[in-house]
Amino acid sequence: SEVTPQGIIDGVTSLREAGIQPKTVILDDGWQQVEPQKKTKEITSAEDESKSTNSVATKVANGILGIFAKVVSAMYETFVRKAPHNSIPNKIWSFLTRTVLKGQLWNYFDTDTDFGRQLSGFQPNEKFHDSTDGSTIGLKELVSRLKTELGVTRLFCWHALHGYWRGVSPSLGKENGFNATNVMPQLSEHLLKVEPILAWDSVSLFGVGLVPQEQDLSKFYDNLHSPLVDAGVDGVKVDVQSGVSSLGGGVGGGSRIARVYTRALEDSVSMRFASRDGGISCINCMCHSTE
């Protein structure tokens, strides 16, 4: 998610200088508005003084926490990581992740990964906006420069089937006239036997923002894809598709929710991203469950 317009331009330029002309560019995870944002804390002079005064206590506390983290990590690697579903180590760890370790896991997902975030806006994020000082360029300008100056013929943008890794923020749905609700997945025994760690990933612990109604999904994809069309984007790469089928509890089942999402997606891309040869410029990714 650290991608920037300048980084893309530099990457394409370096390939051209090496004698390789990229024709298709896929803008991966990192162009969307998401929440929560990674937190940065400004330390005030008072806090700095307090930190200096309590430096010994802080070091001791951090040392204890560091030891505890190492012990927990060693226990996980030794007893849990390869333990089969429903084994004693698996059950104990699953319980801990929903109680005493839940806060620490959220901190991990929030600081070290993007898997805990939800889509919070449909326009490109601030990295892909034109700035007055020229430090950043907008998505439309990026597409134009890639095509007119660097020989690229097609640019695709990544997004998850349901928006982002943990879906769409319910507040975003409310702002745009459709219902989005946080849903906890119901993973099948078959899936957990293949991948036991799914029981404590960010989706299983904190839920997914889902748009369960078919009529709302047309609004969702209209809002998601229209800014891309306006910027001259040629197509989309749609990821995380297999995960939606675990979110059907209370909304008609997994097959029903997967069907309505797929149908709404196909309607949108066929209308907005039809290629010159009559095909549809949509790359499907992570489509099949490992059950």
Side-chain angles (χ1 to χ4, degrees):
S1 62
E2 303 300 320
V3 63
T4 64
Q6 190 58 52
I8 295 168
I9 291 171
D10 291 345
V12 173
T13 300
S14 67
L15 288 171
R16 283 165 54 90
E17 290 173 350
I20 301 169
Q21 173 59 64
K23 291 296 185 180
T24 298
V25 171
I26 299 176
L27 175 53
D28 213 325
D29 180 4
W31 65 272
Q32 294 172 288
Q33 296 181 47
V34 297
E35 64 180 21
Q37 295 286 339
K38 290 185 179 179
K39 302 177 182 65
T40 56
K41 182 179 179 182
E42 296 183 3
I43 299 177
T44 64
S45 57
E47 288 174 322
D48 190 57
E49 182 179 350
S50 175
K51 181 179 178 181
S52 176
T53 305
N54 297 308
S55 59
V56 175
T58 301
K59 288 179 180 178
V60 171
N62 287 340
I64 293 172
L65 290 173
I67 293 171
F68 175 73
K70 289 180 180 179
V71 170
V72 171
S73 178
M75 289 177 60
Y76 178 82
E77 289 296 322
T78 303
F79 301 108
V80 180
R81 188 168 68 88
K82 295 183 179 180
H85 175 57
N86 267 341
S87 63
I88 297 299
N90 180 280
K91 288 181 178 179
I92 292 173
W93 184 260
S94 185
F95 171 76
L96 292 175
T97 61
R98 283 160 172 77
T99 53
V100 295
L101 294 180
K102 190 171 185 178
Q104 287 87 340
L105 281 171
W106 174 256
N107 185 61
Y108 164 73
F109 288 124
D110 190 32
T111 57
D112 289 21
T113 80
D114 292 299
F115 299 135
R117 311 192 198 291
Q118 294 182 318
L119 187 69
S120 62
F122 291 112
Q123 294 294 327
N125 62 38
E126 66 279 358
K127 294 184 296 181
F128 292 85
H129 285 180
D130 290 308
S131 62
T132 55
D133 61 2
S135 59
T136 62
I137 62 173
L139 181 59
K140 187 172 184 177
E141 175 65 17
L142 172 64
V143 174
S144 176
R145 288 180 61 177
L146 288 172
K147 291 182 177 181
T148 60
E149 300 175 14
L150 296 175
V152 173
T153 58
R154 297 189 302 176
L155 185 133
F156 285 43
C157 282
W158 175 99
H159 67 76
L161 180 63
H162 50 2
Y164 202 66
W165 293 107
R166 279 188 55 236
V168 58
S169 165
S171 61
L172 180 62
K174 187 176 181 180
E175 293 167 6
N176 289 274
F178 61 85
N179 177 49
T181 184
N182 210 51
V183 175
M184 302 303 293
Q186 298 177 3
L187 303 176
S188 71
E189 287 290 311
H190 305 291
L191 186 56
L192 289 172
K193 286 179 180 178
V194 176
E195 295 188 71
I197 62 173
L198 293 179
W200 49 80
D201 68 1
S202 61
V203 168
S204 294
L205 292 178
F206 306 107
V208 175
L210 193 72
V211 181
Q213 300 304 319
E214 196 163 3
Q215 64 270 24
D216 286 338
L217 279 168
S218 62
K219 295 180 183 178
F220 169 70
Y221 283 118
D222 179 49
N223 281 286
L224 183 59
H225 290 157
S226 291
L228 301 181
V229 174
D230 293 342
V233 171
D234 300 283
V236 287
K237 173 188 172 185
V238 185
D239 204 349
V240 206
Q241 296 193 32
S242 62
V244 172
S245 61
S246 68
L247 304 170
V251 292
S255 59
R256 181 259 169 191
I257 200 67
R259 182 173 63 253
V260 296
Y261 261 95
T262 302
R263 182 181 295 154
L265 169 69
E266 290 178 346
D267 287 346
S268 181
V269 296
S270 62
M271 179 170 58
R272 295 179 172 89
F273 299 118
S275 59
R276 288 184 293 271
D277 60 5
I280 305 300
S281 296
C282 176
I283 300 172
N284 293 294
C285 181
M286 270 181 65
C287 306
H288 298 95
S289 171
T290 50
E291 290 188 67

